[in-house]
Amino acid sequence: MKTNALFKRTFNRSLAALEALPPGAKLDSEPAMARRLEVSRTTVRATLAALGERGLVRLDGRDKTLLRRPAAADYFEGGETEPVSDIVERQFMRWILRGDCAPGQPINGREMARQFGVSATALREYLARFGSLGLLDRQPNGGWIVKGFTREFALELSEVREMFELSSVRKFIALPEDDPAWHGLAAFRREHVALARDLGRRRSDFSSLDERFHRHINDASR
């Protein structure tokens, strides 16, 4: 099975579309799926093969039949569908916001790469980017020291995030009514309702759910 992020995003979007269909429904042709998902037919074929392997779809030549609706466990986790740059940025900002660091604290690049689950090379590349934002100081030995998270930077970050998220929402609502991304919203609504019913015990789960929801919107609006 392919392991690239595009394949996994396409697979998750296909699952979202299948949630709206009853078992026994016939799926569109490969060209139609490729146009709707805006990917190549090669990616569509890989997606269909994976759906077949998981027992979701029966493939018989050009005939494709839905055997069962997708379950939450069928989806790839959010991190598996993200570019490495997004993973590093999200993990780093979470590290900063959780207060796991203090002004003047040196960064152990090797340990941080292990903690984030990325290569040391990828981490070094994006530490340089964060340094340009004023969060880090570059040392003569090539290392980095945390400068701190100021109120001014927090306000700037909030404004930037609002700008990008509103842009993604505008693109999302312009999608055709039959785009599979719309069906994914129903699954997110169910998760939010379930979380709201047990918010006292699961309050910490909201951040993860919120991240996945915004990732869904952003992926669909690219």
Side-chain angles (χ1 to χ4, degrees), residues 78-79 82 86-101 112 115-116 130 135 149 157 161 204-212 215:
E82 292 181 277
D86 290 355
I87 294 173
V88 176
E89 182 171 353
R90 175 169 51 83
Q91 293 276 54
F92 183 84
M93 295 309 299
R94 183 181 295 171
W95 181 74
I96 289 282
L97 293 170
R98 272 202 316 247
D100 291 347
C101 59
M112 180 173 282
Q115 180 182 342
F116 290 179
F130 296 131
L135 288 173
F149 196 77
L157 182 65
R161 178 173 179 177
S204 60
D205 293 343
F206 177 76
S207 177
S208 174
L209 178 57
D210 184 57
E211 284 181 7
R212 288 194 293 111
R215 197 177 306 125

CSV table of all heavy atoms in Angstrom, one decimal, residues 78-79 82 86-101 112 115-116 130 135 149 157 161 204-212 215:
chain,number,residue,atom,x,y,z
A,78,GLY,N,-4.5,11.5,11.5
A,78,GLY,CA,-4.2,12.8,10.9
A,78,GLY,C,-2.7,13.0,10.6
A,78,GLY,O,-2.3,13.5,9.5
A,79,GLY,N,-1.8,12.6,11.5
A,79,GLY,CA,-0.4,12.7,11.3
A,79,GLY,C,0.1,12.0,10.1
A,79,GLY,O,1.1,12.4,9.5
A,82,GLU,N,-0.2,14.2,6.8
A,82,GLU,CA,0.3,15.5,6.8
A,82,GLU,C,1.8,15.5,6.2
A,82,GLU,O,2.5,14.6,6.4
A,82,GLU,CB,0.5,16.1,8.3
A,82,GLU,CG,-0.8,16.4,8.9
A,82,GLU,CD,-0.6,16.9,10.3
A,82,GLU,OE1,-0.4,16.1,11.2
A,82,GLU,OE2,-0.6,18.1,10.5
A,86,ASP,N,4.3,20.4,8.2
A,86,ASP,CA,3.2,20.7,9.0
A,86,ASP,C,3.3,19.9,10.4
A,86,ASP,O,2.9,20.5,11.4
A,86,ASP,CB,1.9,20.2,8.3
A,86,ASP,CG,1.5,21.1,7.1
A,86,ASP,OD1,2.3,22.1,6.9
A,86,ASP,OD2,0.6,20.8,6.4
A,87,ILE,N,3.8,18.7,10.3
A,87,ILE,CA,3.9,18.0,11.6
A,87,ILE,C,4.9,18.7,12.5
A,87,ILE,O,4.6,18.9,13.7
A,87,ILE,CB,4.5,16.5,11.3
A,87,ILE,CG1,3.4,15.7,10.5
A,87,ILE,CG2,4.8,15.8,12.6
A,87,ILE,CD1,3.9,14.4,10.1
A,88,VAL,N,6.1,19.1,12.0
A,88,VAL,CA,7.1,19.8,12.8
A,88,VAL,C,6.5,21.1,13.4
A,88,VAL,O,6.6,21.4,14.6
A,88,VAL,CB,8.3,20.1,12.0
A,88,VAL,CG1,9.3,20.9,12.9
A,88,VAL,CG2,9.0,18.8,11.5
A,89,GLU,N,5.8,21.9,12.5
A,89,GLU,CA,5.3,23.1,13.0
A,89,GLU,C,4.2,22.9,14.1
A,89,GLU,O,4.2,23.6,15.1
A,89,GLU,CB,4.7,23.9,11.8
A,89,GLU,CG,4.1,25.3,12.2
A,89,GLU,CD,3.7,26.1,11.1
A,89,GLU,OE1,4.0,25.7,9.9
A,89,GLU,OE2,3.2,27.2,11.3
A,90,ARG,N,3.3,22.0,13.9
A,90,ARG,CA,2.3,21.7,14.9
A,90,ARG,C,2.9,21.3,16.2
A,90,ARG,O,2.5,21.7,17.3
A,90,ARG,CB,1.3,20.7,14.3
A,90,ARG,CG,0.2,20.3,15.3
A,90,ARG,CD,-0.9,19.5,14.6
A,90,ARG,NE,-0.3,18.4,13.8
A,90,ARG,CZ,0.0,17.2,14.3
A,90,ARG,NH1,-0.1,17.0,15.6
A,90,ARG,NH2,0.5,16.2,13.6
A,91,GLN,N,3.8,20.3,16.1
A,91,GLN,CA,4.4,19.8,17.3
A,91,GLN,C,5.2,20.9,18.1
A,91,GLN,O,5.2,20.9,19.3
A,91,GLN,CB,5.3,18.6,17.0
A,91,GLN,CG,4.6,17.4,16.4
A,91,GLN,CD,4.1,16.5,17.5
A,91,GLN,OE1,3.4,17.0,18.4
A,91,GLN,NE2,4.5,15.3,17.5
A,92,PHE,N,5.9,21.7,17.3
A,92,PHE,CA,6.7,22.7,17.9
A,92,PHE,C,5.9,23.7,18.6
A,92,PHE,O,6.1,24.1,19.8
A,92,PHE,CB,7.6,23.4,16.9
A,92,PHE,CG,8.6,24.4,17.5
A,92,PHE,CD1,9.8,24.0,18.1
A,92,PHE,CD2,8.2,25.8,17.5
A,92,PHE,CE1,10.6,25.0,18.6
A,92,PHE,CE2,9.0,26.7,18.1
A,92,PHE,CZ,10.2,26.3,18.6
A,93,MET,N,4.8,24.2,18.0
A,93,MET,CA,3.9,25.2,18.6
A,93,MET,C,3.2,24.6,19.8
A,93,MET,O,3.0,25.3,20.8
A,93,MET,CB,2.9,25.7,17.6
A,93,MET,CG,3.5,26.4,16.4
A,93,MET,SD,4.6,27.8,16.9
A,93,MET,CE,3.5,28.8,17.9
A,94,ARG,N,2.9,23.3,19.8
A,94,ARG,CA,2.3,22.7,20.9
A,94,ARG,C,3.3,22.6,22.1
A,94,ARG,O,2.9,22.8,23.2
A,94,ARG,CB,1.8,21.3,20.6
A,94,ARG,CG,1.1,20.5,21.7
A,94,ARG,CD,0.7,19.1,21.2
A,94,ARG,NE,-0.3,19.2,20.2
A,94,ARG,CZ,-0.7,18.1,19.5
A,94,ARG,NH1,-0.1,16.9,19.8
A,94,ARG,NH2,-1.6,18.2,18.6
A,95,TRP,N,4.5,22.4,21.7
A,95,TRP,CA,5.6,22.3,22.7
A,95,TRP,C,5.8,23.7,23.4
A,95,TRP,O,5.9,23.8,24.6
A,95,TRP,CB,6.9,21.9,22.1
A,95,TRP,CG,8.1,21.7,22.9
A,95,TRP,CD1,8.4,20.7,23.8
A,95,TRP,CD2,9.2,22.6,23.0
A,95,TRP,NE1,9.6,21.0,24.4
A,95,TRP,CE2,10.2,22.1,23.9
A,95,TRP,CE3,9.6,23.8,22.3
A,95,TRP,CZ2,11.4,22.7,24.2
A,95,TRP,CZ3,10.8,24.4,22.5
A,95,TRP,CH2,11.7,23.8,23.5
A,96,ILE,N,5.7,24.7,22.6
A,96,ILE,CA,5.9,26.1,23.1
A,96,ILE,C,4.7,26.4,24.0
A,96,ILE,O,4.8,26.9,25.2
A,96,ILE,CB,6.0,27.1,22.0
A,96,ILE,CG1,7.3,27.0,21.3
A,96,ILE,CG2,5.7,28.5,22.5
A,96,ILE,CD1,8.5,27.6,22.0
A,97,LEU,N,3.4,26.2,23.5
A,97,LEU,CA,2.2,26.6,24.2
A,97,LEU,C,2.0,25.8,25.5
A,97,LEU,O,1.4,26.3,26.4
A,97,LEU,CB,1.0,26.4,23.3
A,97,LEU,CG,1.0,27.4,22.1
A,97,LEU,CD1,-0.1,27.0,21.1
A,97,LEU,CD2,0.8,28.8,22.6
A,98,ARG,N,2.4,24.5,25.5
A,98,ARG,CA,2.3,23.7,26.7
A,98,ARG,C,3.2,24.2,27.9
A,98,ARG,O,3.0,23.8,29.0
A,98,ARG,CB,2.6,22.3,26.4
A,98,ARG,CG,1.5,21.4,25.9
A,98,ARG,CD,1.8,19.9,26.2
A,98,ARG,NE,3.1,19.6,25.8
A,98,ARG,CZ,3.5,18.8,24.8
A,98,ARG,NH1,2.5,18.3,24.0
A,98,ARG,NH2,4.7,18.5,24.6
A,99,GLY,N,4.2,25.0,27.6
A,99,GLY,CA,5.1,25.5,28.6
A,99,GLY,C,6.2,24.5,28.9
A,99,GLY,O,6.7,24.5,30.0
A,100,ASP,N,6.5,23.6,27.9
A,100,ASP,CA,7.5,22.6,28.1
A,100,ASP,C,8.9,23.3,28.0
A,100,ASP,O,9.9,22.6,28.2
A,100,ASP,CB,7.5,21.5,27.1
A,100,ASP,CG,6.2,20.6,27.3
A,100,ASP,OD1,5.6,20.8,28.4
A,100,ASP,OD2,5.9,19.9,26.4
A,101,CYS,N,9.0,24.6,27.8
A,101,CYS,CA,10.3,25.2,27.6
A,101,CYS,C,10.2,26.5,28.4
A,101,CYS,O,9.1,27.0,28.8
A,101,CYS,CB,10.5,25.6,26.2
A,101,CYS,SG,9.2,26.6,25.4
A,112,MET,N,14.5,16.3,20.5
A,112,MET,CA,13.3,16.9,19.9
A,112,MET,C,12.8,16.2,18.7
A,112,MET,O,11.6,15.9,18.5
A,112,MET,CB,13.4,18.4,19.7
A,112,MET,CG,12.2,19.1,19.1
A,112,MET,SD,12.3,20.9,19.0
A,112,MET,CE,12.1,21.3,20.7
A,115,GLN,N,11.2,13.0,19.8
A,115,GLN,CA,9.9,13.3,20.4
A,115,GLN,C,8.9,13.6,19.4
A,115,GLN,O,7.7,13.2,19.5
A,115,GLN,CB,10.1,14.5,21.4
A,115,GLN,CG,8.8,14.9,22.1
A,115,GLN,CD,9.1,16.1,23.0
A,115,GLN,OE1,10.2,16.4,23.3
A,115,GLN,NE2,8.0,16.8,23.4
A,116,PHE,N,9.3,14.3,18.3
A,116,PHE,CA,8.3,14.7,17.3
A,116,PHE,C,8.1,13.6,16.2
A,116,PHE,O,7.2,13.7,15.4
A,116,PHE,CB,8.8,16.0,16.6
A,116,PHE,CG,8.7,17.3,17.4
A,116,PHE,CD1,9.1,18.5,16.9
A,116,PHE,CD2,8.2,17.2,18.7
A,116,PHE,CE1,9.1,19.6,17.6
A,116,PHE,CE2,8.2,18.4,19.5
A,116,PHE,CZ,8.6,19.6,18.9
A,130,PHE,N,11.5,28.9,12.4
A,130,PHE,CA,10.9,29.4,13.7
A,130,PHE,C,11.8,30.5,14.2
A,130,PHE,O,11.4,31.4,14.9
A,130,PHE,CB,10.8,28.3,14.7
A,130,PHE,CG,9.8,27.3,14.3
A,130,PHE,CD1,10.1,25.9,14.4
A,130,PHE,CD2,8.6,27.6,13.8
A,130,PHE,CE1,9.2,24.9,14.0
A,130,PHE,CE2,7.6,26.6,13.5
A,130,PHE,CZ,8.0,25.3,13.5
A,135,LEU,N,11.1,33.4,17.7
A,135,LEU,CA,11.0,32.5,18.9
A,135,LEU,C,12.3,31.9,19.4
A,135,LEU,O,12.4,31.5,20.6
A,135,LEU,CB,10.0,31.3,18.5
A,135,LEU,CG,8.6,31.7,18.3
A,135,LEU,CD1,7.8,30.4,17.8
A,135,LEU,CD2,8.0,32.1,19.6
A,149,PHE,N,7.8,33.1,24.4
A,149,PHE,CA,6.5,33.3,23.7
A,149,PHE,C,5.9,34.6,24.2
A,149,PHE,O,5.3,34.6,25.3
A,149,PHE,CB,5.6,32.1,24.0
A,149,PHE,CG,4.5,32.0,23.0
A,149,PHE,CD1,4.7,31.5,21.7
A,149,PHE,CD2,3.2,32.4,23.3
A,149,PHE,CE1,3.6,31.4,20.8
A,149,PHE,CE2,2.1,32.3,22.4
A,149,PHE,CZ,2.4,31.8,21.1
A,157,LEU,N,0.2,35.6,15.8
A,157,LEU,CA,-0.1,34.2,15.4
A,157,LEU,C,-1.6,34.0,15.3
A,157,LEU,O,-2.1,33.4,14.4
A,157,LEU,CB,0.5,33.3,16.4
A,157,LEU,CG,0.3,31.8,16.1
A,157,LEU,CD1,1.1,31.4,14.9
A,157,LEU,CD2,0.8,30.9,17.3
A,161,ARG,N,-3.5,32.9,11.9
A,161,ARG,CA,-4.3,31.7,11.8
A,161,ARG,C,-5.8,32.0,11.4
A,161,ARG,O,-6.4,31.3,10.6
A,161,ARG,CB,-4.4,31.0,13.2
A,161,ARG,CG,-5.2,29.8,13.2
A,161,ARG,CD,-5.1,29.0,14.5
A,161,ARG,NE,-6.0,27.8,14.4
A,161,ARG,CZ,-6.1,26.9,15.3
A,161,ARG,NH1,-5.4,27.0,16.4
A,161,ARG,NH2,-7.0,25.9,15.2
A,204,SER,N,-9.6,17.3,27.4
A,204,SER,CA,-8.3,17.4,26.8
A,204,SER,C,-8.4,16.8,25.4
A,204,SER,O,-7.5,17.1,24.6
A,204,SER,CB,-7.3,16.6,27.6
A,204,SER,OG,-7.6,15.3,27.7
A,205,ASP,N,-9.4,16.1,25.0
A,205,ASP,CA,-9.5,15.5,23.7
A,205,ASP,C,-10.0,16.6,22.6
A,205,ASP,O,-9.9,16.3,21.4
A,205,ASP,CB,-10.6,14.4,23.6
A,205,ASP,CG,-10.1,13.2,24.5
A,205,ASP,OD1,-8.9,13.1,24.7
A,205,ASP,OD2,-11.0,12.3,24.8
A,206,PHE,N,-10.5,17.7,23.1
A,206,PHE,CA,-11.0,18.7,22.1
A,206,PHE,C,-9.9,19.2,21.2
A,206,PHE,O,-10.1,19.4,20.0
A,206,PHE,CB,-11.7,19.9,22.9
A,206,PHE,CG,-12.2,20.9,21.9
A,206,PHE,CD1,-13.3,20.7,21.2
A,206,PHE,CD2,-11.4,22.1,21.7
A,206,PHE,CE1,-13.8,21.7,20.3
A,206,PHE,CE2,-11.9,23.1,20.8
A,206,PHE,CZ,-13.1,22.9,20.1
A,207,SER,N,-8.7,19.5,21.7
A,207,SER,CA,-7.6,20.0,20.9
A,207,SER,C,-7.3,19.1,19.7
A,207,SER,O,-7.2,19.6,18.6
A,207,SER,CB,-6.4,20.2,21.8
A,207,SER,OG,-5.3,20.7,21.0
A,208,SER,N,-7.2,17.8,20.0
A,208,SER,CA,-6.9,16.9,18.9
A,208,SER,C,-8.1,16.9,17.9
A,208,SER,O,-7.8,16.9,16.6
A,208,SER,CB,-6.7,15.5,19.5
A,208,SER,OG,-6.6,14.6,18.4
A,209,LEU,N,-9.3,16.9,18.3
A,209,LEU,CA,-10.5,16.8,17.4
A,209,LEU,C,-10.5,18.1,16.6
A,209,LEU,O,-10.8,18.1,15.4
A,209,LEU,CB,-11.8,16.7,18.2
A,209,LEU,CG,-13.1,16.7,17.4
A,209,LEU,CD1,-13.1,15.6,16.4
A,209,LEU,CD2,-14.3,16.5,18.4
A,210,ASP,N,-10.2,19.3,17.2
A,210,ASP,CA,-10.2,20.5,16.6
A,210,ASP,C,-9.2,20.6,15.5
A,210,ASP,O,-9.4,21.1,14.4
A,210,ASP,CB,-10.0,21.7,17.6
A,210,ASP,CG,-10.1,23.0,16.9
A,210,ASP,OD1,-11.1,23.4,16.3
A,210,ASP,OD2,-9.1,23.8,17.0
A,211,GLU,N,-8.0,20.0,15.8
A,211,GLU,CA,-6.9,20.0,14.8
A,211,GLU,C,-7.3,19.1,13.6
A,211,GLU,O,-7.1,19.5,12.4
A,211,GLU,CB,-5.6,19.4,15.4
A,211,GLU,CG,-4.9,20.3,16.3
A,211,GLU,CD,-3.6,19.7,16.9
A,211,GLU,OE1,-3.3,18.6,16.5
A,211,GLU,OE2,-3.0,20.3,17.8
A,212,ARG,N,-7.9,18.0,13.8
A,212,ARG,CA,-8.3,17.1,12.7
A,212,ARG,C,-9.4,17.8,11.9
A,212,ARG,O,-9.4,17.6,10.6
A,212,ARG,CB,-8.8,15.8,13.2
A,212,ARG,CG,-7.7,14.9,13.8
A,212,ARG,CD,-8.1,13.5,14.0
A,212,ARG,NE,-9.1,13.3,15.0
A,212,ARG,CZ,-10.4,13.0,14.8
A,212,ARG,NH1,-10.8,12.8,13.6
A,212,ARG,NH2,-11.2,12.9,15.9
A,215,ARG,N,-7.8,20.4,9.7
A,215,ARG,CA,-7.0,19.8,8.7
A,215,ARG,C,-7.9,19.3,7.6
A,215,ARG,O,-7.5,19.4,6.4
A,215,ARG,CB,-6.2,18.6,9.3
A,215,ARG,CG,-5.0,18.2,8.4
A,215,ARG,CD,-4.2,17.1,9.1
A,215,ARG,NE,-3.8,17.5,10.4
A,215,ARG,CZ,-4.1,16.9,11.6
A,215,ARG,NH1,-4.7,15.8,11.6
A,215,ARG,NH2,-3.6,17.4,12.7
